[in-house]
Amino acid sequence: MASRFLNCCCIFPTRPTGDHDTPARTDKNEVAIDNRSMPYCVGRWLPSDQAILDRWLQKQIKEVDGKAQPEPLNPVVQSFKDAIESSAELTMFFNEMFTETPTTKRSQTSQSEVRNYHHMLQLMNNILLQAPEYNPDGPSVVVSMYAILYKQAGTTGGYAAFLNTTVNFHLKKILNTWAKFLMSPSSCYVLTTDGWLSNQCIEKMGGNFEEQFVCDPSKPHYGFTSWDDFFTRQARPNARPIAHPDDDKVIVNACESAPLRVERNASKHGKFWIKGQPYNLKFMLANEPLADRFVGGTVYQGFLDIYYYHRWHSPVNGKIVKAYVQDGTYYSEPLIKDHFDQGYLAEVQTRAIIAIEADNPYIGLMCFVAIGMVEVSSCDITVTEGQWVKKGQQLGMFHFGGSTHCLIFRPGVELKFDFHGGKPGPTATKVLVNSKLATVPE
């Protein structure tokens, strides 16, 4: 019998679907999206196969439940627990989400289900000293915290809880604590030749690893000092050549990413919570007044695979006008079946917003938006306002993995996109960073 896949339109599985493919759909003013069931979520951050997720969760639950006494909670997790229990609203949300959580025939026992929010906190506490492990036998579970929460996030109680400001404040503290571990040498235990540095995994990263990236195979862990050091690995100078560096008509790919979506005539107030969500420029750009300058313009979105290079580069020559990180949610999902999550997340997730005044006056002001997802929400900007950048120069990076990004152009800017033989959608193939993405007229 075929495995039942979860409907993963981005990195998140949501509510279960049937075993049949969903036909491709075309939204008005945008490129067709081929939204079919796949054996992993877009970007391969989390398996879509429920059985793989169940086995991973069973292992975590066994570790937590097998202890004679529950481990004391890390202070940041304890603080989160205190916040839940000191608020009638949050107590209701966190109890309701477990009441509403659907079960499947394969995962309806306590051995493979998170039972309540107390159990959830113990599991989160356990993850704080773990790095994501590579699974040679199938899709890896990389967003470990989300793998504990994904069923609850898809409920009405979870939707309310994970939009709550207090909840996101405490989640940020928990994720920052985990980040310290992922930046420490203790996280290197997964960087082995039968793990993330195995031949099998290196092939998924494009092969010729030492020729592509700054590393030293003669050293332990190829010279990487932590899980995060591996995931923010630097490309060697000639590994990602800049397309037409002296031609200001050519716009290059800002991230190593696969094309996902193009929307023309973008709206300032699009209803991003509905099915077939248009982009909402006001929220994408965090209520910045400059959003008005892009109304009616074009939004391009691409997504990053777990195995891709995770640093951002400038798509044009120009001056940095704005550069800041907007805090957002971490585990919020809209309550829409068959929804296209990446558009929603572009408005509510933690994101880096970088506005660039291109040297080419025809392009003029444009925006790059790096969008973090779930625990992959640490957006690190490495340029400053007022700085002039060359096409292909580093702008920043995602920590602990990757996510998705958007380029936003003013109305009237004619763009001829080059998807290198592919077409946008969740099954698209990657376009290397610094490769030609689009051209504008003379």
Side-chain angles (χ1 to χ4, degrees):
M1 182 171 144
S3 296
R4 182 175 294 275
F5 296 136
L6 296 173
N7 179 30
C8 305
C9 295
C10 68
I11 64 172
F12 306 147
T14 55
R15 287 147 289 285
T17 66
D19 294 328
H20 302 290
D21 285 347
T22 302
R25 67 174 173 80
T26 304
D27 291 336
K28 185 178 180 182
N29 297 324
E30 64 181 72
V31 172
I33 297 168
D34 185 12
N35 181 18
R36 293 186 170 89
S37 298
M38 305 185 320
Y40 50 80
C41 301
V42 170
R44 293 189 281 198
W45 296 96
L46 204 62
S48 300
D49 190 330
Q50 184 69 56
I52 295 174
L53 283 166
D54 285 348
R55 287 195 293 272
W56 180 89
L57 191 55
Q58 286 170 12
K59 178 176 179 290
Q60 297 296 324
I61 290 173
K62 186 176 180 180
E63 287 181 14
V64 167
D65 292 356
K67 295 171 182 175
Q69 295 291 332
E71 289 283 341
L73 296 179
N74 183 287
V76 292
V77 181
Q78 181 64 51
S79 179
F80 186 27
K81 181 176 185 290
D82 294 341
I84 293 171
E85 295 177 347
S86 63
S87 165
E89 181 182 52
L90 295 186
T91 299
M92 177 181 68
F93 291 158
F94 277 91
N95 280 297
E96 186 64 21
M97 70 174 69
F98 286 95
T99 302
E100 296 174 338
T101 299
T103 59
T104 66
K105 290 181 180 179
R106 278 193 299 242
S107 61
Q108 54 188 312
T109 66
S110 62
Q111 283 73 37
S112 61
E113 291 289 348
V114 186
R115 298 187 291 274
N116 50 50
Y117 77 83
H118 300 281
H119 200 211
M120 174 196 79
L121 294 171
Q122 286 287 344
L123 290 163
M124 293 174 74
N125 197 65
N126 197 48
I127 291 292
L128 289 179
L129 294 178
Q130 293 183 26
E133 296 184 3
Y134 175 72
N135 178 14
D137 300 320
S140 301
V141 176
V142 180
V143 284
S144 309
M145 290 286 185
Y146 185 70
I148 293 168
L149 302 171
Y150 76 91
K151 284 187 178 181
Q152 288 70 47
T155 67
T156 54
Y159 178 64
F162 293 123
L163 280 175
N164 182 276
T165 302
T166 298
V167 169
N168 283 294
F169 170 79
H170 285 281
L171 287 173
K172 183 175 182 178
K173 289 170 62 178
I174 291 170
L175 296 176
N176 284 345
T177 298
W178 191 28
K180 292 178 182 178
F181 173 76
L182 296 176
M183 287 180 164
S184 75
S186 298
S187 65
C188 284
Y189 72 93
V190 296
L191 304 179
T192 62
T193 53
D194 57 356
W196 291 102
L197 297 172
S198 65
N199 290 335
Q200 181 191 64
C201 187
I202 284 172
E203 281 302 308
K204 293 178 181 178
M205 290 185 278
N208 301 317
F209 191 84
E210 57 267 38
E211 295 178 15
Q212 289 195 71
F213 303 108
V214 177
C215 64
D216 186 349
S218 69
K219 293 182 178 179
H221 316 298
Y222 277 38
F224 295 114
T225 58
S226 67
W227 159 263
D228 180 62
D229 190 34
F230 165 71
F231 256 75
T232 59
R233 56 192 176 271
Q234 298 182 57
R236 293 198 183 275
N238 298 321
R240 302 293 188 274
I242 301 163
H244 307 280
D246 299 320
D247 187 348
D248 281 346
K249 299 188 302 297
V250 176
I251 298 164
V252 300
N253 201 22
C255 291
E256 192 121 313
S257 55
L260 180 67
R261 185 177 178 185
V262 175
E263 183 173 312
R264 315 280 182 175
N265 195 25
S267 170
K268 182 178 180 181
H269 299 288
K271 295 180 180 178
F272 66 94
W273 56 87
I274 64 172
K275 184 177 179 180
Q277 303 134 1
Y279 292 102
N280 184 309
L281 293 171
K282 177 183 177 181
F283 295 148
M284 286 181 74
L285 298 178
N287 296 306
E288 276 283 347
L290 59 79
D292 291 334
R293 299 177 63 179
F294 297 100
V295 175
T298 300
V299 178
Y300 164 79
Q301 187 167 10
F303 66 89
L304 284 78
D305 188 295
I306 179 179
Y307 299 108
Y308 294 176
Y309 169 76
H310 303 291
R311 295 178 181 240
W312 329 319
H313 293 248
S314 181
V316 295
N317 293 316
K319 180 181 177 182
I320 304 297
V321 177
K322 292 274 187 180
Y324 63 97
V325 174
Q326 174 66 37
D327 283 344
T329 65
Y330 295 95
Y331 301 106
S332 174
E333 290 186 31
L335 295 174
I336 311 162
K337 290 187 177 181
D338 300 323
H339 58 285
F340 203 63
D341 280 340
Q342 299 237 16
Y344 172 81
L345 297 172
E347 281 90 17
V348 302
Q349 292 288 110
T350 297
R351 55 205 180 276
I353 298 170
I354 302 176
I356 306 170
E357 184 71 38
D359 285 356
N360 185 335
Y362 182 82
I363 298 171
L365 186 68
M366 63 161 297
C367 282
F368 165 80
V369 183
I371 303 153
M373 291 186 179
V374 294
E375 49 256 44
V376 189
S377 294
S378 295
C379 298
D380 182 9
I381 296 173
T382 57
V383 292
T384 58
E385 293 181 6
Q387 179 180 348
W388 184 84
V389 292
K390 294 190 298 183
K391 185 193 303 185
Q393 184 173 334
Q394 181 177 295
L395 297 177
M397 70 196 82
F398 291 114
H399 286 275
F400 324 122
S403 200
T404 183
H405 71 103
C406 292
L407 296 179
I408 308 174
F409 299 90
R410 296 176 303 116
V413 178
E414 298 176 32
L415 296 156
K416 182 178 180 181
F417 284 97
D418 182 354
F419 299 123
H420 299 258
K423 65 177 182 178
T427 58
T429 55
K430 75 177 176 182
V431 177
L432 291 179
V433 70
N434 295 333
S435 296
K436 183 171 75 170
L437 178 69
T439 55
V440 296
E442 294 283 353

